[in-house]
Amino acid sequence: MGNMTPRTPLEFLVQENNRLVTDLISVSGGGGGVATSAAVTSVASVMTSAQLLAANTSRVEAVITNDSTAVLYVKLGTAVTSSSYTIKLTAGESLVVDKYNGVIHGTWSSVNGNARLTETT
């Protein structure tokens, strides 16, 4: 399974069953800190750009899980498409976003399932 520790504090992971499935990707921003609460939500799949998480300056970390058999395209920002995205999650994959407090959008390759979200503050 290997070492799952990020190489710098400004990286997020894509994991499946506790193993790294893509390279680490650096992001900037965020306030850091320790989380004291978590909000769990869900967004139904759509084939247009949908807000998964609003900008939140109190966010410590966000976990996005693709609970769909369709590909979920995730963008740190707005106006996500299948050709303009930050990362692509296949069925069952999860994305841990650390040190990014901006808006996060998503879109699917077909309408099927949900994005399961946990945002810690």
Side-chain angles (χ1 to χ4, degrees):
M1 295 213 181
N3 184 357
M4 296 300 292
T5 305
R7 294 173 288 210
T8 74
L10 299 178
E11 296 180 319
F12 63 91
L13 302 172
V14 177
Q15 297 177 340
E16 178 182 20
N17 299 325
N18 290 328
R19 70 178 177 85
L20 191 62
V21 293
T22 68
D23 292 331
L24 294 171
I25 300 172
S26 296
V27 295
S28 61
V34 177
T36 58
S37 65
V40 178
T41 57
S42 182
V43 174
S45 62
V46 293
M47 291 180 64
T48 58
S49 186
Q51 181 174 288
L52 300 178
L53 291 169
N56 182 351
T57 58
S58 298
R59 180 186 305 137
V60 174
E61 184 177 86
V63 179
I64 303 167
T65 300
N66 183 16
D67 190 11
S68 167
T69 59
V71 170
L72 168 57
Y73 298 92
V74 178
K75 186 173 186 177
L76 302 183
T78 60
V80 62
T81 67
S82 62
S83 60
S84 176
Y85 60 91
T86 303
I87 200 151
K88 176 173 61 172
L89 299 177
T90 60
E93 287 185 329
S94 294
L95 168 68
V96 178
V97 180
D98 186 18
K99 307 291 184 185
Y100 176 75
N101 297 76
V103 65
I104 301 174
H105 274 228
T107 189
W108 285 259
S109 59
S110 66
V111 177
N112 172 295
N114 299 276
R116 306 296 181 184
L117 311 158
T118 301
E119 180 177 47
T120 62
T121 55

